[in-house]
Amino acid sequence: MTLKLNRLFLFVAILLSAESVNSQFGFSHEVGVIVGPVAFQSDFGVRNDLETNAGNTGIGIGIIHYINFSYRADCNCYSADTYFNDHFKLRSEISWNKTKLEHFGKWVDESRTSVNADRLRAHSGEANNFDVGMQLEYFPLSIRQFSSRVNSFAPFISLGTHFTSYNPSAATTFGDGNINNPNNFYSFWEPGSISDESGTVWSVVGSVGVRYKLTILSDLMLDLRWQYFGNNWIDGLNHQLDSNRANDWLVWLNFGYIYYLD
């Protein structure tokens, strides 16, 4: 927790420094908060299974910052009328998400009474991720026109990269409860498929969303994010069966409030 707070303070300090520097170049700034449910897609459960997708959901929260190229902070006026300035914003973010994970689907159905079914039912985990990153957001409609009209809407898409610090947990109530004992887990998994070790990884982030102009100086935002991680250990499980076709990824539906500083 101390490490996460230190990272938060560092991120805020960087944003304040960036705001001071960027204001000299005529950029304006926006800050906001986001929160919403996370659906974590991992090696837990059954692929493309509704029960798995609904069951392995968690929560995410974040602080966001935008560089707005369409408005100049040094003169309180619009910047040069270029396509880039009127259709793009640069978003920086610090966020955290957490999801408790269990096995759902046909392999743990009550009708199954095998030892392997018991092993799966006894296995649980948790994905715990801390993110810092940037995304470039594209607004197909004019940012200037949106900014000047209350009750207007501005759809957007974005793409970027995040640096993720992950700290998974793994547990089982089967056998002696030792996560390093492969006899406590699904027998078709290779030894070493379970790990609670922390690490860092890059991730690709894409999203689609919309802003609503609440007041001249504030927006509401709805954003649906897809995030794909660079390895398969984010959930603490990396088995080698054929069903394990992709690294861990998540979908995050977040709701945000954004305030214009300049």
Side-chain angles (χ1 to χ4, degrees):
M1 179 61 70
T2 301
L3 180 60
K4 292 180 180 179
L5 289 176
N6 289 338
R7 288 171 177 161
L8 175 60
F9 293 145
L10 177 61
F11 183 78
V12 172
I14 292 173
L15 288 186
L16 292 177
S17 299
E19 180 179 349
S20 176
V21 172
N22 291 336
S23 294
Q24 300 176 26
F25 290 93
F27 305 150
S28 60
H29 302 268
E30 307 162 15
V31 294
V33 293
I34 54 175
V35 62
V38 172
F40 201 92
Q41 308 296 305
S42 72
D43 298 323
F44 280 78
V46 180
R47 179 180 296 275
N48 299 324
D49 177 72
L50 178 60
E51 187 179 8
T52 297
N53 296 338
N56 287 332
T57 57
I59 187 71
I61 57 175
I63 300 173
I64 53 178
H65 168 268
Y66 287 90
I67 295 177
N68 187 338
F69 302 102
S70 68
Y71 199 81
R72 293 175 60 93
D74 56 347
C75 66
N76 289 328
C77 60
Y78 286 114
S79 58
D81 187 10
T82 67
Y83 188 85
F84 181 85
N85 289 350
D86 199 29
H87 292 274
F88 288 91
K89 292 185 180 184
L90 185 63
R91 168 175 169 173
S92 304
E93 176 183 316
I94 181 171
S95 61
W96 170 83
N97 63 79
K98 177 179 179 180
T99 307
K100 292 186 179 297
L101 303 167
E102 296 182 17
H103 292 279
F104 296 91
K106 62 182 181 179
W107 303 114
V108 293
D109 189 85
E110 293 181 356
S111 62
R112 294 184 179 270
T113 58
S114 67
V115 175
N116 267 333
D118 291 338
R119 286 169 172 152
L120 288 175
R121 283 189 283 261
H123 177 209
S124 62
E126 183 177 273
N128 193 325
N129 305 308
F130 182 87
D131 273 27
V132 176
M134 303 186 82
Q135 297 164 241
L136 186 64
E137 291 193 356
Y138 169 66
F139 293 78
L141 304 180
S142 169
I143 293 175
R144 285 183 176 87
Q145 292 183 14
F146 169 72
S147 299
S148 64
R149 297 183 301 191
V150 176
N151 299 325
S152 59
F153 290 88
F156 65 85
I157 59 174
S158 73
L159 183 66
T161 59
H162 283 198
F163 185 71
T164 303
S165 174
Y166 60 92
N167 183 29
S169 65
T172 181
T173 58
F174 189 89
D176 61 7
N178 183 355
I179 65 169
N180 296 312
N181 183 356
N183 294 323
N184 293 333
F185 297 95
Y186 195 63
S187 64
F188 292 100
W189 295 344
E190 295 182 4
S193 295
I194 307 294
S195 175
D196 61 355
E197 293 186 4
S198 302
T200 57
V201 67
W202 289 98
S203 57
V204 178
V205 177
S207 68
V208 57
V210 63
R211 285 200 190 193
Y212 171 74
K213 175 60 65 177
L214 186 64
T215 70
I216 290 298
L217 292 178
S218 63
D219 298 345
L220 298 180
M221 181 181 72
L222 179 65
D223 183 25
L224 180 63
R225 168 187 299 180
W226 171 81
Q227 183 172 5
Y228 185 82
F229 299 98
N231 72 36
N232 205 15
W233 287 107
I234 312 302
D235 61 348
L237 171 60
N238 185 14
H239 63 72
Q240 304 304 314
L241 300 182
D242 291 340
S243 59
N244 188 3
R245 302 173 185 173
N247 292 343
D248 298 326
W249 54 282
L250 62 79
V251 175
W252 179 7
L253 179 63
N254 60 68
F255 304 87
Y257 174 81
I258 300 167
Y259 183 78
Y260 292 67
L261 294 179
D262 302 302

